[in-house]
Amino acid sequence: MGLTLTYSLERYSADTDAEAYIRDFRRADYFLTFCRQCQNYGRRYGCPPFDYNPLSLIGDFHKVRIIGVKIIPDSKQLPLEAVNDLMEPITKDLNEELLEMEKSLNGLAFGFVGTCPYCNGLRCARIDGEPCRHPDKVRPSLEAFGFDMVKTAKDLLGLDIQWSKGDYIPEYLVLVCGVFFRNSDA
């Protein structure tokens, strides 16, 4: 794109009860309607539909650590086309951090929607019915499991998510991810 993409980051986190988070922040049927409209639906290993019940993976955890990152571009007039270039290095670093946290907490990490940060632009193997190239690294997003990211960001992190109103990236972007874990692991 040719733009110099400089920015500042603000980090937020909150631990909450997993059962309450599932009860109060998950609206799977509602959010899956949006997933079905996305070009990645059924075409990425981190996206639904899944060949398992999502609640079966998270139902035994006691806590959730929600992590938010506010990305504030230095330029106030970045075109929307720059959003992936801006977010890619940040999501890649956060994914690695999440995997480390997953390991240290003996939990289950949830990353971000969009392109896989591990296949370097290759077509997802799911499209061709092949196994994931990086099953040790690819994680679904909280959205893919039906969690409300606007409510999560606002209620747990005190962050408002902004949306673009035109051809430019908003004043800031917010990434929300997390790790489910058991009490004794924190």
Side-chain angles (χ1 to χ4, degrees), residues 21 25 27 30-31 143 147-163 174 176:
Y21 185 65
F25 291 82
R27 295 177 39 209
Y30 176 75
F31 286 104
E143 297 99 316
F147 289 100
D148 184 335
M149 292 298 91
V150 172
K151 182 175 173 56
T152 297
K154 178 75 171 165
D155 293 1
L156 298 179
L157 302 173
L159 288 168
D160 288 316
I161 292 179
Q162 293 188 348
W163 306 99
V174 174
V176 179

Side-chain angles (χ1 to χ4, degrees), residues 26-75:
R26 188 170 186 265
R27 295 177 39 209
D29 291 340
Y30 176 75
F31 286 104
L32 283 177
T33 61
F34 296 108
C35 286
R36 286 185 191 97
Q37 296 170 31
C38 176
Q39 66 183 5
N40 291 336
Y41 183 79
R43 297 173 56 88
R44 302 262 193 257
Y45 274 108
C47 295
F50 300 111
D51 60 359
Y52 54 84
N53 176 352
L55 286 178
S56 70
L57 289 185
I58 59 175
D60 290 336
F61 291 108
H62 305 119
K63 299 292 255 180
V64 184
R65 180 160 300 149
I66 300 296
I67 298 139
V69 176
K70 185 176 184 180
I71 307 161
I72 307 158
D74 291 339
S75 171

